[in-house]
Amino acid sequence: MAGRSPLVGIVMGSASDWEVMREAAKQLDDFSVPYEAKVLSAHRSPDALAEWVERSSAKGVRCFIAGAGGAAHLAGVLAAHTVVPVIGVPMSSALNGLDSLLSTVQMPKGIPVATVAIGASGAINAGLLAVAILATSRPPLRARLQAYRDEMAAEVSRITLDE
Ligand code: RP5
């Protein structure tokens, strides 16, 4: 749902992150939430990152999702430039994502980043968390999110095990 005025900004440190980060975008598509997705790096293009997050916040983005790997400071730097909520997605890495996870989750007090799990599961949850944040002030979206949860519960209750 790239196109309409974006409510969510998805950013990643490298094009190599997109395979995972597109899972967040898919969730937003499923809930018809408009987003913008960009590659911007906290260390390779810091000025462009700051300019984008400040412009996006002013234009009406209500939640950011930031995915990065290694010494993953992208989400924290993003959060330093906006009061809009930031969700961090740690990418898998040479250290199996543990470096990315700790770099993203261990923000010093004052500038929070809501960190999800490493990799694709985390990206899916980041998309769903962004939907939940938006749903706090959008009753139709809240109803769709509740229906999604209800269907999940129904799927679990349909499971039968061979004995
Ligand atoms: C980080 O370094 C990116 O977020 C990516 O996860 C990682 C590797 O980047 P590339 O070498 O694939 O560009 O900045």
Side-chain angles (χ1 to χ4, degrees):
M1 190 89 16
R4 280 194 286 142
S5 189
L7 289 172
V8 178
I10 300 176
V11 63
M12 61 215 85
S14 169
S16 65
D17 299 323
W18 179 233
E19 188 181 340
V20 168
M21 292 303 288
R22 67 166 20 120
E23 298 297 330
K26 279 185 201 164
Q27 297 303 316
L28 300 176
D29 280 332
D30 285 353
F31 284 90
S32 306
V33 170
Y35 61 85
E36 180 182 26
K38 299 277 287 184
V39 175
L40 288 166
S41 168
H43 50 279
R44 288 184 280 219
S45 60
D47 293 341
L49 175 67
E51 195 272 327
W52 177 76
V53 65
E54 285 166 11
R55 183 166 39 85
S56 300
S57 302
K59 271 179 22 189
V61 164
R62 293 290 173 260
C63 176
F64 289 98
I65 301 173
H73 40 219
L74 180 64
V77 170
L78 199 73
H81 285 281
T82 184
V83 295
V84 171
V86 174
I87 304 167
V89 186
M91 294 294 116
S92 194
S93 66
L95 301 180
N96 292 326
L98 189 57
D99 46 353
S100 322
L101 173 64
L102 295 178
S103 303
T104 305
V105 78
Q106 286 287 61
M107 279 298 289
K109 64 179 178 292
I111 306 292
V113 167
T115 305
V116 293
I118 297 165
S121 295
I124 290 168
N125 275 350
L128 291 170
L129 185 53
V131 170
I133 289 168
L134 293 169
T136 57
S137 59
R138 291 170 178 78
L141 191 57
R142 186 187 173 101
R144 285 178 73 174
L145 188 56
Q146 187 60 59
Y148 168 85
R149 293 281 186 97
D150 292 346
E151 176 53 30
M152 214 186 291
E155 265 177 39
V156 172
S157 67
R158 283 194 291 268
I159 295 172
T160 54
L161 300 175
D162 295 335
E163 291 183 18

